[in-house]
PDB file of all heavy atoms in Angstrom:
ATOM      1  N   LYS A   1      -1.613  35.991 -90.088  1.00  0.00           N
ATOM      2  CA  LYS A   1      -2.548  34.896 -90.332  1.00  0.00           C
ATOM      3  C   LYS A   1      -3.467  34.800 -89.125  1.00  0.00           C
ATOM      4  O   LYS A   1      -3.088  35.166 -88.010  1.00  0.00           O
ATOM      5  CB  LYS A   1      -1.778  33.589 -90.517  1.00  0.00           C
ATOM      6  CG  LYS A   1      -1.014  33.512 -91.835  1.00  0.00           C
ATOM      7  CD  LYS A   1      -0.193  32.247 -91.938  1.00  0.00           C
ATOM      8  CE  LYS A   1       1.061  32.330 -91.083  1.00  0.00           C
ATOM      9  NZ  LYS A   1       1.974  31.192 -91.287  1.00  0.00           N
ATOM     10  N   ASN A   2      -4.651  34.272 -89.342  1.00  0.00           N
ATOM     11  CA  ASN A   2      -5.609  34.136 -88.243  1.00  0.00           C
ATOM     12  C   ASN A   2      -5.471  32.778 -87.569  1.00  0.00           C
ATOM     13  O   ASN A   2      -5.339  31.759 -88.244  1.00  0.00           O
ATOM     14  CB  ASN A   2      -7.048  34.288 -88.760  1.00  0.00           C
ATOM     15  CG  ASN A   2      -7.322  35.699 -89.222  1.00  0.00           C
ATOM     16  OD1 ASN A   2      -6.780  36.651 -88.668  1.00  0.00           O
ATOM     17  ND2 ASN A   2      -8.152  35.848 -90.244  1.00  0.00           N
ATOM     18  N   ILE A   3      -5.523  32.790 -86.244  1.00  0.00           N
ATOM     19  CA  ILE A   3      -5.606  31.537 -85.492  1.00  0.00           C
ATOM     20  C   ILE A   3      -6.507  31.788 -84.294  1.00  0.00           C
ATOM     21  O   ILE A   3      -6.384  32.810 -83.617  1.00  0.00           O
ATOM     22  CB  ILE A   3      -4.206  31.021 -85.069  1.00  0.00           C
ATOM     23  CG1 ILE A   3      -4.320  29.606 -84.488  1.00  0.00           C
ATOM     24  CG2 ILE A   3      -3.515  31.961 -84.079  1.00  0.00           C
ATOM     25  CD1 ILE A   3      -2.993  28.870 -84.427  1.00  0.00           C
ATOM     26  N   ARG A   4      -7.463  30.904 -84.073  1.00  0.00           N
ATOM     27  CA  ARG A   4      -8.427  31.101 -82.987  1.00  0.00           C
ATOM     28  C   ARG A   4      -8.118  30.141 -81.839  1.00  0.00           C
ATOM     29  O   ARG A   4      -7.426  29.142 -82.001  1.00  0.00           O
ATOM     30  CB  ARG A   4      -9.866  30.848 -83.496  1.00  0.00           C
ATOM     31  CG  ARG A   4     -10.292  31.732 -84.663  1.00  0.00           C
ATOM     32  CD  ARG A   4     -10.319  33.219 -84.321  1.00  0.00           C
ATOM     33  NE  ARG A   4     -11.131  33.528 -83.137  1.00  0.00           N
ATOM     34  CZ  ARG A   4     -12.449  33.680 -83.145  1.00  0.00           C
ATOM     35  NH1 ARG A   4     -13.138  33.542 -84.274  1.00  0.00           N
ATOM     36  NH2 ARG A   4     -13.101  33.980 -82.037  1.00  0.00           N
ATOM     37  N   PHE A   5      -8.688  30.464 -80.660  1.00  0.00           N
ATOM     38  CA  PHE A   5      -8.420  29.695 -79.442  1.00  0.00           C
ATOM     39  C   PHE A   5      -9.717  29.126 -78.860  1.00  0.00           C
ATOM     40  O   PHE A   5     -10.701  29.853 -78.722  1.00  0.00           O
ATOM     41  CB  PHE A   5      -7.785  30.604 -78.378  1.00  0.00           C
ATOM     42  CG  PHE A   5      -6.324  30.901 -78.584  1.00  0.00           C
ATOM     43  CD1 PHE A   5      -5.869  31.522 -79.744  1.00  0.00           C
ATOM     44  CD2 PHE A   5      -5.398  30.570 -77.602  1.00  0.00           C
ATOM     45  CE1 PHE A   5      -4.523  31.808 -79.929  1.00  0.00           C
ATOM     46  CE2 PHE A   5      -4.046  30.851 -77.780  1.00  0.00           C
ATOM     47  CZ  PHE A   5      -3.602  31.463 -78.945  1.00  0.00           C
ATOM     48  N   THR A   6      -9.692  27.844 -78.509  1.00  0.00           N
ATOM     49  CA  THR A   6     -10.760  27.247 -77.697  1.00  0.00           C
ATOM     50  C   THR A   6     -10.222  27.134 -76.273  1.00  0.00           C
ATOM     51  O   THR A   6      -9.153  26.552 -76.049  1.00  0.00           O
ATOM     52  CB  THR A   6     -11.173  25.864 -78.238  1.00  0.00           C
ATOM     53  OG1 THR A   6     -11.838  26.043 -79.492  1.00  0.00           O
ATOM     54  CG2 THR A   6     -12.118  25.148 -77.277  1.00  0.00           C
ATOM     55  N   GLU A   7     -10.940  27.718 -75.321  1.00  0.00           N
ATOM     56  CA  GLU A   7     -10.519  27.724 -73.910  1.00  0.00           C
ATOM     57  C   GLU A   7     -11.098  26.502 -73.205  1.00  0.00           C
ATOM     58  O   GLU A   7     -12.304  26.253 -73.252  1.00  0.00           O
ATOM     59  CB  GLU A   7     -10.998  29.017 -73.239  1.00  0.00           C
ATOM     60  CG  GLU A   7     -10.796  29.084 -71.742  1.00  0.00           C
ATOM     61  CD  GLU A   7      -9.353  28.894 -71.308  1.00  0.00           C
ATOM     62  OE1 GLU A   7      -8.474  29.641 -71.792  1.00  0.00           O
ATOM     63  OE2 GLU A   7      -9.114  27.988 -70.480  1.00  0.00           O
ATOM     64  N   THR A   8     -10.218  25.743 -72.507  1.00  0.00           N
ATOM     65  CA  THR A   8     -10.630  24.455 -71.940  1.00  0.00           C
ATOM     66  C   THR A   8     -10.770  24.426 -70.416  1.00  0.00           C
ATOM     67  O   THR A   8     -11.079  23.383 -69.853  1.00  0.00           O
ATOM     68  CB  THR A   8      -9.610  23.350 -72.319  1.00  0.00           C
ATOM     69  OG1 THR A   8      -8.370  23.618 -71.642  1.00  0.00           O
ATOM     70  CG2 THR A   8      -9.384  23.292 -73.827  1.00  0.00           C
ATOM     71  N   VAL A   9     -10.551  25.566 -69.728  1.00  0.00           N
ATOM     72  CA  VAL A   9     -10.480  25.520 -68.260  1.00  0.00           C
ATOM     73  C   VAL A   9     -11.757  24.966 -67.614  1.00  0.00           C
ATOM     74  O   VAL A   9     -11.707  24.321 -66.562  1.00  0.00           O
ATOM     75  CB  VAL A   9     -10.143  26.918 -67.667  1.00  0.00           C
ATOM     76  CG1 VAL A   9     -11.280  27.911 -67.875  1.00  0.00           C
ATOM     77  CG2 VAL A   9      -9.792  26.813 -66.180  1.00  0.00           C
ATOM     78  N   LEU A  10     -12.907  25.156 -68.256  1.00  0.00           N
ATOM     79  CA  LEU A  10     -14.168  24.711 -67.665  1.00  0.00           C
ATOM     80  C   LEU A  10     -14.406  23.209 -67.838  1.00  0.00           C
ATOM     81  O   LEU A  10     -15.287  22.642 -67.199  1.00  0.00           O
ATOM     82  CB  LEU A  10     -15.344  25.482 -68.287  1.00  0.00           C
ATOM     83  CG  LEU A  10     -15.285  27.012 -68.175  1.00  0.00           C
ATOM     84  CD1 LEU A  10     -16.476  27.653 -68.870  1.00  0.00           C
ATOM     85  CD2 LEU A  10     -15.211  27.457 -66.717  1.00  0.00           C
ATOM     86  N   ARG A  11     -13.605  22.558 -68.714  1.00  0.00           N
ATOM     87  CA  ARG A  11     -13.754  21.114 -68.904  1.00  0.00           C
ATOM     88  C   ARG A  11     -12.398  20.405 -68.842  1.00  0.00           C
ATOM     89  O   ARG A  11     -11.985  19.949 -67.799  1.00  0.00           O
ATOM     90  CB  ARG A  11     -14.484  20.810 -70.221  1.00  0.00           C
ATOM     91  CG  ARG A  11     -15.202  19.441 -70.236  1.00  0.00           C
ATOM     92  CD  ARG A  11     -14.324  18.227 -70.379  1.00  0.00           C
ATOM     93  NE  ARG A  11     -13.580  18.161 -71.619  1.00  0.00           N
ATOM     94  CZ  ARG A  11     -12.702  17.192 -71.905  1.00  0.00           C
ATOM     95  NH1 ARG A  11     -12.467  16.221 -71.044  1.00  0.00           N
ATOM     96  NH2 ARG A  11     -12.025  17.216 -73.042  1.00  0.00           N
ATOM     97  N   ASP A  12     -11.655  20.371 -69.931  1.00  0.00           N
ATOM     98  CA  ASP A  12     -10.454  19.537 -69.937  1.00  0.00           C
ATOM     99  C   ASP A  12      -9.352  20.078 -69.040  1.00  0.00           C
ATOM    100  O   ASP A  12      -8.604  19.310 -68.441  1.00  0.00           O
ATOM    101  CB  ASP A  12      -9.925  19.355 -71.368  1.00  0.00           C
ATOM    102  CG  ASP A  12      -9.032  18.123 -71.491  1.00  0.00           C
ATOM    103  OD1 ASP A  12      -9.040  17.293 -70.568  1.00  0.00           O
ATOM    104  OD2 ASP A  12      -8.338  17.988 -72.511  1.00  0.00           O
ATOM    105  N   GLY A  13      -9.239  21.409 -68.927  1.00  0.00           N
ATOM    106  CA  GLY A  13      -8.229  21.985 -68.042  1.00  0.00           C
ATOM    107  C   GLY A  13      -8.403  21.496 -66.620  1.00  0.00           C
ATOM    108  O   GLY A  13      -7.469  20.973 -65.995  1.00  0.00           O
ATOM    109  N   GLN A  14      -9.626  21.626 -66.107  1.00  0.00           N
ATOM    110  CA  GLN A  14      -9.864  21.182 -64.726  1.00  0.00           C
ATOM    111  C   GLN A  14      -9.992  19.664 -64.628  1.00  0.00           C
ATOM    112  O   GLN A  14      -9.649  19.066 -63.613  1.00  0.00           O
ATOM    113  CB  GLN A  14     -11.090  21.900 -64.148  1.00  0.00           C
ATOM    114  CG  GLN A  14     -12.385  21.665 -64.879  1.00  0.00           C
ATOM    115  CD  GLN A  14     -13.490  21.149 -63.962  1.00  0.00           C
ATOM    116  OE1 GLN A  14     -13.250  20.706 -62.845  1.00  0.00           O
ATOM    117  NE2 GLN A  14     -14.720  21.206 -64.450  1.00  0.00           N
ATOM    118  N   GLN A  15     -10.454  19.011 -65.694  1.00  0.00           N
ATOM    119  CA  GLN A  15     -10.527  17.545 -65.664  1.00  0.00           C
ATOM    120  C   GLN A  15      -9.132  16.946 -65.560  1.00  0.00           C
ATOM    121  O   GLN A  15      -8.903  15.981 -64.830  1.00  0.00           O
ATOM    122  CB  GLN A  15     -11.220  17.004 -66.920  1.00  0.00           C
ATOM    123  CG  GLN A  15     -11.339  15.478 -66.932  1.00  0.00           C
ATOM    124  CD  GLN A  15     -12.157  14.949 -68.092  1.00  0.00           C
ATOM    125  OE1 GLN A  15     -13.182  15.521 -68.458  1.00  0.00           O
ATOM    126  NE2 GLN A  15     -11.729  13.867 -68.694  1.00  0.00           N
ATOM    127  N   SER A  16      -8.182  17.536 -66.275  1.00  0.00           N
ATOM    128  CA  SER A  16      -6.818  17.002 -66.308  1.00  0.00           C
ATOM    129  C   SER A  16      -6.058  17.249 -65.009  1.00  0.00           C
ATOM    130  O   SER A  16      -5.080  16.561 -64.733  1.00  0.00           O
ATOM    131  CB  SER A  16      -6.036  17.636 -67.468  1.00  0.00           C
ATOM    132  OG  SER A  16      -6.627  17.306 -68.701  1.00  0.00           O
ATOM    133  N   GLN A  17      -6.492  18.220 -64.213  1.00  0.00           N
ATOM    134  CA  GLN A  17      -5.703  18.563 -63.023  1.00  0.00           C
ATOM    135  C   GLN A  17      -6.416  18.334 -61.696  1.00  0.00           C
ATOM    136  O   GLN A  17      -5.764  18.014 -60.705  1.00  0.00           O
ATOM    137  CB  GLN A  17      -5.234  20.019 -63.136  1.00  0.00           C
ATOM    138  CG  GLN A  17      -4.310  20.214 -64.340  1.00  0.00           C
ATOM    139  CD  GLN A  17      -3.390  21.400 -64.224  1.00  0.00           C
ATOM    140  OE1 GLN A  17      -3.676  22.358 -63.521  1.00  0.00           O
ATOM    141  NE2 GLN A  17      -2.288  21.350 -64.935  1.00  0.00           N
ATOM    142  N   ILE A  18      -7.736  18.485 -61.674  1.00  0.00           N
ATOM    143  CA  ILE A  18      -8.443  18.272 -60.394  1.00  0.00           C
ATOM    144  C   ILE A  18      -9.598  17.281 -60.556  1.00  0.00           C
ATOM    145  O   ILE A  18     -10.577  17.320 -59.810  1.00  0.00           O
ATOM    146  CB  ILE A  18      -8.948  19.610 -59.777  1.00  0.00           C
ATOM    147  CG1 ILE A  18      -9.813  20.392 -60.781  1.00  0.00           C
ATOM    148  CG2 ILE A  18      -7.780  20.449 -59.281  1.00  0.00           C
ATOM    149  CD1 ILE A  18     -10.567  21.574 -60.172  1.00  0.00           C
ATOM    150  N   ALA A  19      -9.446  16.378 -61.555  1.00  0.00           N
ATOM    151  CA  ALA A  19     -10.423  15.302 -61.760  1.00  0.00           C
ATOM    152  C   ALA A  19     -11.860  15.824 -61.844  1.00  0.00           C
ATOM    153  O   ALA A  19     -12.796  15.215 -61.343  1.00  0.00           O
ATOM    154  CB  ALA A  19     -10.295  14.247 -60.667  1.00  0.00           C
ATOM    155  N   THR A  20     -12.016  16.987 -62.474  1.00  0.00           N
ATOM    156  CA  THR A  20     -13.343  17.566 -62.779  1.00  0.00           C
ATOM    157  C   THR A  20     -14.157  17.902 -61.541  1.00  0.00           C
ATOM    158  O   THR A  20     -15.381  17.822 -61.552  1.00  0.00           O
ATOM    159  CB  THR A  20     -14.162  16.619 -63.699  1.00  0.00           C
ATOM    160  OG1 THR A  20     -13.264  15.773 -64.425  1.00  0.00           O
ATOM    161  CG2 THR A  20     -14.972  17.389 -64.720  1.00  0.00           C
ATOM    162  N   ARG A  21     -13.482  18.304 -60.463  1.00  0.00           N
ATOM    163  CA  ARG A  21     -14.200  18.580 -59.210  1.00  0.00           C
ATOM    164  C   ARG A  21     -14.649  20.034 -59.069  1.00  0.00           C
ATOM    165  O   ARG A  21     -15.159  20.419 -58.028  1.00  0.00           O
ATOM    166  CB  ARG A  21     -13.316  18.229 -58.008  1.00  0.00           C
ATOM    167  CG  ARG A  21     -12.931  16.777 -57.882  1.00  0.00           C
ATOM    168  CD  ARG A  21     -14.143  15.863 -57.645  1.00  0.00           C
ATOM    169  NE  ARG A  21     -13.725  14.611 -57.059  1.00  0.00           N
ATOM    170  CZ  ARG A  21     -13.243  13.581 -57.737  1.00  0.00           C
ATOM    171  NH1 ARG A  21     -13.138  13.674 -59.051  1.00  0.00           N
ATOM    172  NH2 ARG A  21     -12.883  12.469 -57.123  1.00  0.00           N
ATOM    173  N   MET A  22     -14.463  20.868 -60.092  1.00  0.00           N
ATOM    174  CA  MET A  22     -14.842  22.278 -59.955  1.00  0.00           C
ATOM    175  C   MET A  22     -16.358  22.436 -60.024  1.00  0.00           C
ATOM    176  O   MET A  22     -16.977  22.067 -61.010  1.00  0.00           O
ATOM    177  CB  MET A  22     -14.192  23.118 -61.067  1.00  0.00           C
ATOM    178  CG  MET A  22     -14.327  24.623 -60.822  1.00  0.00           C
ATOM    179  SD  MET A  22     -13.716  25.601 -62.229  1.00  0.00           S
ATOM    180  CE  MET A  22     -11.958  25.244 -62.174  1.00  0.00           C
ATOM    181  N   PRO A  23     -16.982  22.995 -58.963  1.00  0.00           N
ATOM    182  CA  PRO A  23     -18.435  23.184 -58.995  1.00  0.00           C
ATOM    183  C   PRO A  23     -18.827  24.362 -59.895  1.00  0.00           C
ATOM    184  O   PRO A  23     -18.013  25.249 -60.179  1.00  0.00           O
ATOM    185  CB  PRO A  23     -18.790  23.477 -57.532  1.00  0.00           C
ATOM    186  CG  PRO A  23     -17.536  24.030 -56.933  1.00  0.00           C
ATOM    187  CD  PRO A  23     -16.388  23.426 -57.682  1.00  0.00           C
ATOM    188  N   THR A  24     -20.075  24.364 -60.321  1.00  0.00           N
ATOM    189  CA  THR A  24     -20.565  25.420 -61.215  1.00  0.00           C
ATOM    190  C   THR A  24     -20.423  26.799 -60.575  1.00  0.00           C
ATOM    191  O   THR A  24     -20.129  27.778 -61.259  1.00  0.00           O
ATOM    192  CB  THR A  24     -22.046  25.151 -61.582  1.00  0.00           C
ATOM    193  OG1 THR A  24     -22.150  23.821 -62.102  1.00  0.00           O
ATOM    194  CG2 THR A  24     -22.555  26.126 -62.624  1.00  0.00           C
ATOM    195  N   GLU A  25     -20.605  26.880 -59.263  1.00  0.00           N
ATOM    196  CA  GLU A  25     -20.550  28.196 -58.600  1.00  0.00           C
ATOM    197  C   GLU A  25     -19.175  28.852 -58.744  1.00  0.00           C
ATOM    198  O   GLU A  25     -19.064  30.076 -58.677  1.00  0.00           O
ATOM    199  CB  GLU A  25     -20.946  28.084 -57.129  1.00  0.00           C
ATOM    200  CG  GLU A  25     -19.986  27.267 -56.288  1.00  0.00           C
ATOM    201  CD  GLU A  25     -20.439  27.141 -54.841  1.00  0.00           C
ATOM    202  OE1 GLU A  25     -21.627  27.381 -54.553  1.00  0.00           O
ATOM    203  OE2 GLU A  25     -19.588  26.774 -53.992  1.00  0.00           O
ATOM    204  N   ASP A  26     -18.119  28.043 -58.965  1.00  0.00           N
ATOM    205  CA  ASP A  26     -16.791  28.617 -59.206  1.00  0.00           C
ATOM    206  C   ASP A  26     -16.691  29.247 -60.598  1.00  0.00           C
ATOM    207  O   ASP A  26     -15.824  30.084 -60.838  1.00  0.00           O
ATOM    208  CB  ASP A  26     -15.705  27.538 -59.088  1.00  0.00           C
ATOM    209  CG  ASP A  26     -15.361  27.200 -57.641  1.00  0.00           C
ATOM    210  OD1 ASP A  26     -15.747  27.975 -56.744  1.00  0.00           O
ATOM    211  OD2 ASP A  26     -14.715  26.163 -57.407  1.00  0.00           O
ATOM    212  N   MET A  27     -17.553  28.802 -61.497  1.00  0.00           N
ATOM    213  CA  MET A  27     -17.470  29.239 -62.899  1.00  0.00           C
ATOM    214  C   MET A  27     -18.306  30.484 -63.186  1.00  0.00           C
ATOM    215  O   MET A  27     -17.896  31.359 -63.959  1.00  0.00           O
ATOM    216  CB  MET A  27     -17.950  28.102 -63.819  1.00  0.00           C
ATOM    217  CG  MET A  27     -17.221  26.784 -63.633  1.00  0.00           C
ATOM    218  SD  MET A  27     -18.008  25.469 -64.604  1.00  0.00           S
ATOM    219  CE  MET A  27     -17.038  24.050 -64.062  1.00  0.00           C
ATOM    220  N   LEU A  28     -19.476  30.548 -62.588  1.00  0.00           N
ATOM    221  CA  LEU A  28     -20.468  31.566 -62.975  1.00  0.00           C
ATOM    222  C   LEU A  28     -19.964  33.013 -62.901  1.00  0.00           C
ATOM    223  O   LEU A  28     -20.222  33.792 -63.823  1.00  0.00           O
ATOM    224  CB  LEU A  28     -21.742  31.399 -62.140  1.00  0.00           C
ATOM    225  CG  LEU A  28     -22.525  30.101 -62.377  1.00  0.00           C
ATOM    226  CD1 LEU A  28     -23.715  30.001 -61.428  1.00  0.00           C
ATOM    227  CD2 LEU A  28     -23.011  29.992 -63.821  1.00  0.00           C
ATOM    228  N   PRO A  29     -19.222  33.431 -61.842  1.00  0.00           N
ATOM    229  CA  PRO A  29     -18.865  34.851 -61.740  1.00  0.00           C
ATOM    230  C   PRO A  29     -17.959  35.367 -62.865  1.00  0.00           C
ATOM    231  O   PRO A  29     -17.918  36.567 -63.121  1.00  0.00           O
ATOM    232  CB  PRO A  29     -18.137  34.940 -60.384  1.00  0.00           C
ATOM    233  CG  PRO A  29     -18.533  33.717 -59.641  1.00  0.00           C
ATOM    234  CD  PRO A  29     -18.773  32.665 -60.667  1.00  0.00           C
ATOM    235  N   ILE A  30     -17.226  34.489 -63.539  1.00  0.00           N
ATOM    236  CA  ILE A  30     -16.249  34.944 -64.537  1.00  0.00           C
ATOM    237  C   ILE A  30     -16.750  34.752 -65.973  1.00  0.00           C
ATOM    238  O   ILE A  30     -16.092  35.170 -66.937  1.00  0.00           O
ATOM    239  CB  ILE A  30     -14.887  34.207 -64.332  1.00  0.00           C
ATOM    240  CG1 ILE A  30     -13.728  34.928 -65.054  1.00  0.00           C
ATOM    241  CG2 ILE A  30     -14.967  32.741 -64.784  1.00  0.00           C
ATOM    242  CD1 ILE A  30     -13.441  36.326 -64.584  1.00  0.00           C
ATOM    243  N   LEU A  31     -17.916  34.158 -66.145  1.00  0.00           N
ATOM    244  CA  LEU A  31     -18.381  33.807 -67.497  1.00  0.00           C
ATOM    245  C   LEU A  31     -18.575  35.027 -68.394  1.00  0.00           C
ATOM    246  O   LEU A  31     -18.282  34.982 -69.588  1.00  0.00           O
ATOM    247  CB  LEU A  31     -19.674  32.994 -67.425  1.00  0.00           C
ATOM    248  CG  LEU A  31     -19.514  31.570 -66.858  1.00  0.00           C
ATOM    249  CD1 LEU A  31     -20.872  30.894 -66.734  1.00  0.00           C
ATOM    250  CD2 LEU A  31     -18.580  30.726 -67.715  1.00  0.00           C
ATOM    251  N   HIS A  32     -19.051  36.130 -67.832  1.00  0.00           N
ATOM    252  CA  HIS A  32     -19.277  37.328 -68.644  1.00  0.00           C
ATOM    253  C   HIS A  32     -17.942  37.804 -69.235  1.00  0.00           C
ATOM    254  O   HIS A  32     -17.856  38.133 -70.434  1.00  0.00           O
ATOM    255  CB  HIS A  32     -19.923  38.444 -67.814  1.00  0.00           C
ATOM    256  CG  HIS A  32     -20.154  39.705 -68.597  1.00  0.00           C
ATOM    257  ND1 HIS A  32     -21.128  39.805 -69.573  1.00  0.00           N
ATOM    258  CD2 HIS A  32     -19.510  40.906 -68.570  1.00  0.00           C
ATOM    259  CE1 HIS A  32     -21.077  41.024 -70.113  1.00  0.00           C
ATOM    260  NE2 HIS A  32     -20.103  41.703 -69.521  1.00  0.00           N
ATOM    261  N   THR A  33     -16.890  37.814 -68.408  1.00  0.00           N
ATOM    262  CA  THR A  33     -15.562  38.224 -68.882  1.00  0.00           C
ATOM    263  C   THR A  33     -15.040  37.249 -69.940  1.00  0.00           C
ATOM    264  O   THR A  33     -14.501  37.658 -70.971  1.00  0.00           O
ATOM    265  CB  THR A  33     -14.558  38.296 -67.707  1.00  0.00           C
ATOM    266  OG1 THR A  33     -15.108  39.150 -66.699  1.00  0.00           O
ATOM    267  CG2 THR A  33     -13.210  38.830 -68.142  1.00  0.00           C
ATOM    268  N   MET A  34     -15.223  35.951 -69.703  1.00  0.00           N
ATOM    269  CA  MET A  34     -14.781  34.943 -70.681  1.00  0.00           C
ATOM    270  C   MET A  34     -15.522  35.121 -72.013  1.00  0.00           C
ATOM    271  O   MET A  34     -14.947  34.945 -73.087  1.00  0.00           O
ATOM    272  CB  MET A  34     -14.991  33.528 -70.128  1.00  0.00           C
ATOM    273  CG  MET A  34     -14.122  33.206 -68.925  1.00  0.00           C
ATOM    274  SD  MET A  34     -14.364  31.529 -68.287  1.00  0.00           S
ATOM    275  CE  MET A  34     -13.368  30.581 -69.444  1.00  0.00           C
ATOM    276  N   ASP A  35     -16.786  35.478 -71.910  1.00  0.00           N
ATOM    277  CA  ASP A  35     -17.610  35.668 -73.109  1.00  0.00           C
ATOM    278  C   ASP A  35     -17.136  36.862 -73.944  1.00  0.00           C
ATOM    279  O   ASP A  35     -17.365  36.919 -75.155  1.00  0.00           O
ATOM    280  CB  ASP A  35     -19.079  35.853 -72.690  1.00  0.00           C
ATOM    281  CG  ASP A  35     -20.039  35.734 -73.861  1.00  0.00           C
ATOM    282  OD1 ASP A  35     -19.685  35.098 -74.875  1.00  0.00           O
ATOM    283  OD2 ASP A  35     -21.157  36.286 -73.765  1.00  0.00           O
ATOM    284  N   GLN A  36     -16.490  37.818 -73.282  1.00  0.00           N
ATOM    285  CA  GLN A  36     -16.009  39.027 -73.981  1.00  0.00           C
ATOM    286  C   GLN A  36     -14.556  38.889 -74.453  1.00  0.00           C
ATOM    287  O   GLN A  36     -14.010  39.806 -75.056  1.00  0.00           O
ATOM    288  CB  GLN A  36     -16.090  40.249 -73.037  1.00  0.00           C
ATOM    289  CG  GLN A  36     -17.468  40.531 -72.463  1.00  0.00           C
ATOM    290  CD  GLN A  36     -18.497  40.853 -73.536  1.00  0.00           C
ATOM    291  OE1 GLN A  36     -18.215  41.613 -74.456  1.00  0.00           O
ATOM    292  NE2 GLN A  36     -19.678  40.266 -73.428  1.00  0.00           N
ATOM    293  N   ALA A  37     -13.916  37.754 -74.164  1.00  0.00           N
ATOM    294  CA  ALA A  37     -12.465  37.641 -74.387  1.00  0.00           C
ATOM    295  C   ALA A  37     -12.085  37.301 -75.825  1.00  0.00           C
ATOM    296  O   ALA A  37     -10.906  37.367 -76.181  1.00  0.00           O
ATOM    297  CB  ALA A  37     -11.877  36.600 -73.438  1.00  0.00           C
TER     298      ALA A  37
END
């Protein structure tokens, strides 16, 4: 059966653990890989 995944690390994952303090510069280098996942 098919089941899809929504990845939350850029919003709720980091909001729930570090009160949303992750700057954009931490996200940009990995976005291409996330986009291919």
Side-chain angles (χ1 to χ4, degrees):
K1 289 176 284 187
N2 292 327
I3 189 163
R4 302 297 306 277
F5 282 59
T6 291
E7 172 57 55
T8 68
V9 68
L10 303 178
R11 204 285 297 177
D12 201 14
Q14 61 125 345
Q15 181 174 320
S16 297
Q17 297 203 335
I18 54 169
T20 336
R21 297 296 201 278
M22 191 186 293
T24 306
E25 65 182 18
D26 282 345
M27 305 173 185
L28 294 176
I30 197 62
L31 291 176
H32 179 72
T33 306
M34 294 181 80
D35 193 23
Q36 303 298 316

